[in-house]
Amino acid sequence: MQLDIITVDNTFEKEDETRAQLKKLTEAGVDGVMIDVWWGLVEGKEPGVYDWSAYKQVFKLVQEAGLKLQAIMSCHQCGGNVGDVVNIPIPQWVRDVGEDNPDIFYTNREGVRNIEYLTLGVDDQPLFHGRTAIQLYADYMKSFRENMADFLDAGVIVDIEVGLGPAGEMRYPSYPQSQGWVYPGIGEFICYDKYLKADFKAAAAAAGHPASMNFTCAEMRDNEQSSEAKSAPEELVQQVLSAGWREGLNLACENALSRYDATAYNTILRNARPQGINKNGAPEHKLYGFTYLRVSDELFEGENYTTFKTFVRRMHANLDYNPKVDPVAPLKRSKPEIPIEEILAVAQPRLKPFPFEKNTDLPV
């Protein structure tokens, strides 16, 4: 859904427009929608005070439309990255802590701070009114679970994704446009806050259901990239998906940029089923899910909408939508953390990726 479906003052003002858009998506055969759940909005006023009212209104409309919902726990700033159309910072009371202690933010070697996400170095530091960063995120997600129990129990919410850093990605904010970075420039190390310099740790948690990973740029072709960038998104997607499938992960993807053309859709379809459909059963390798970014007026215009509907049908292998196909199991409570040493111990060396067909066998 649109980044600004909830306003910066945490209200929902587009009920009629959203209802109409959801109806269009239902008519196109879409399975469901994804929505960012912004920490900066829900716990924006003061520590431990959560306001879910606006999100409940949106979730109710999704339920009434008969669609499923992916909820993204977005604990980063919206604004300053590609495609950001609104500015939603992290909570003000968290930024106030940074006024006296700017090392809570990622820092480059010149001392420039990036305030779009808390540095990993404060994960276990009780700097936020007695809570650590991990406790902030955990309390936020616990409140979500408690307040959205009805939607979870009803099976409306079928997927919860957790943003792991700036722009929701597991990375340093090493190439921020808001600080002058221009594609295809090279990023830099952003690990010079005092906490990361003193004790840089990585943390991982195991979910109570099959582990999954979501990767981006599924729509990009190599020949669309600037030669100056020396970028190869097709090979990157192929390597990442192959590595994930080898580890038995559920692999999902999304597009990086809004595209409405058949070339982009066909690239997504090829990546969704790299070796085409299998008439004798499920393909050996296929995506667990795909999230299209994003709902807009342009998507529903004339030929764009017609092509989009064809794309959705091709994603369903030309079959009518059936919610009983590839059913999603109920979400389970997370298990205890797995030490990073155990994760590293089972990591496999880089292997040759699985073969991908040059093009999809079900083009738009």
Side-chain angles (χ1 to χ4, degrees), residues 34 43 45 73 85 116 127 133 139 150-151 172 214 318 336:
M34 176 270 278
E43 196 183 3
K45 294 185 177 180
M73 301 289 99
V85 295
E116 61 181 296
L127 304 173
D139 290 345
D150 289 347
F151 299 105
Y172 294 115
N214 195 339
N318 284 347

Side-chain angles (χ1 to χ4, degrees), residues 317-338:
N318 284 347
L319 300 175
D320 291 334
Y321 172 59
N322 183 353
K324 295 183 180 179
V325 176
D326 293 334
V328 179
L331 295 175
K332 299 179 181 178
R333 185 183 296 271
S334 296
K335 293 180 179 178
E337 292 183 354
I338 296 178

Side-chain angles (χ1 to χ4, degrees), residues 34 47 74 87 103 143 194 276 308-309 312 341:
M34 176 270 278
S74 298
N87 183 62
D103 280 287
S143 178
K194 66 183 181 183
F308 175 70
K309 288 193 291 184
V312 173
E341 290 78 13

Side-chain angles (χ1 to χ4, degrees), residues 18-320:
T18 301
R19 182 179 286 107
Q21 291 175 337
L22 293 174
K23 185 175 185 294
K24 282 278 191 180
L25 294 175
T26 303
E27 292 172 353
V30 169
D31 303 309
V33 295
M34 176 270 278
I35 184 170
D36 286 284
V37 182
W38 297 105
W39 176 41
L41 297 182
V42 176
E43 196 183 3
K45 294 185 177 180
E46 57 182 293
V49 177
Y50 305 93
D51 182 0
W52 298 101
S53 57
Y55 281 103
K56 285 184 177 180
Q57 290 176 267
V58 177
F59 290 11
K60 185 65 176 176
L61 288 185
V62 173
Q63 183 178 32
E64 291 174 354
L67 295 171
K68 302 299 184 182
L69 184 68
Q70 293 176 315
I72 314 300
M73 301 289 99
S74 298
C75 296
H76 59 282
Q77 169 184 297
C78 178
N81 285 290
V82 176
D84 287 351
V85 295
V86 292
N87 183 62
I88 302 173
I90 62 177
Q92 180 62 57
W93 55 270
V94 175
R95 287 178 285 145
D96 290 342
V97 174
E99 290 293 323
D100 296 325
N101 184 4
D103 280 287
I104 68 171
F105 299 118
Y106 282 113
T107 307
N108 68 17
R109 58 184 171 180
E110 296 177 350
V112 177
R113 314 288 183 176
N114 186 298
I115 64 171
E116 61 181 296
Y117 192 80
L118 295 174
T119 170
L120 287 173
V122 298
D123 276 358
D124 301 310
Q125 300 290 334
L127 304 173
F128 308 97
H129 300 267
R131 291 188 291 169
T132 67
I134 292 295
Q135 288 172 330
L136 296 181
Y137 306 143
D139 290 345
Y140 172 63
M141 295 176 199
K142 178 182 178 182
S143 178
F144 175 87
R145 184 185 67 208
E146 293 171 347
N147 282 271
M148 300 303 180
D150 289 347
F151 299 105
L152 288 163
D153 294 342
V156 177
I157 299 174
V158 297
D159 186 35
I160 297 176
E161 296 187 12
V162 179
L164 296 177
E169 300 174 352
M170 191 165 58
R171 62 170 174 85
Y172 294 115
S174 54
Y175 43 92
Q177 286 187 321
S178 59
Q179 295 180 352
W181 180 85
V182 178
Y183 178 85
I186 298 173
E188 62 175 314
F189 292 110
I190 313 291
C191 55
Y192 290 87
D193 63 83
K194 66 183 181 183
Y195 299 104
L196 282 182
K197 286 194 293 184
D199 187 14
F200 184 76
K201 293 182 179 180
H209 53 281
S212 61
M213 181 179 69
N214 195 339
F215 198 66
T216 187
C217 69
E219 87 286 7
M220 291 185 174
R221 292 270 186 177
D222 291 352
N223 60 15
E224 298 170 342
Q225 312 308 311
S226 165
S227 59
E228 178 188 6
K230 302 186 187 305
S231 176
E234 291 182 82
E235 284 78 3
L236 176 62
V237 170
Q238 186 178 7
Q239 287 280 359
V240 171
L241 296 186
S242 296
W245 282 322
R246 279 197 175 92
E247 298 301 326
L249 300 180
N250 289 329
L251 275 298
C253 274
E254 60 186 40
N255 49 306
L257 304 174
S258 294
R259 294 277 295 271
Y260 312 103
D261 57 286
T263 298
Y265 287 139
N266 289 338
T267 304
I268 294 168
L269 288 160
R270 186 274 311 275
N271 290 328
R273 291 184 292 264
Q275 297 158 343
I277 60 174
N278 182 353
K279 295 181 179 180
N280 299 316
E284 182 178 3
H285 302 113
K286 68 172 183 175
L287 288 182
Y288 176 71
F290 177 80
T291 302
Y292 176 81
L293 274 56
R294 115 178 21 252
V295 170
S296 67
D297 291 338
E298 190 174 2
L299 173 64
F300 297 120
E301 291 176 352
E303 189 64 27
N304 287 351
Y305 183 52
T306 299
T307 307
F308 175 70
K309 288 193 291 184
T310 302
F311 163 67
V312 173
R313 185 164 180 80
R314 298 291 190 266
M315 287 294 286
H316 290 148
N318 284 347
L319 300 175
D320 291 334

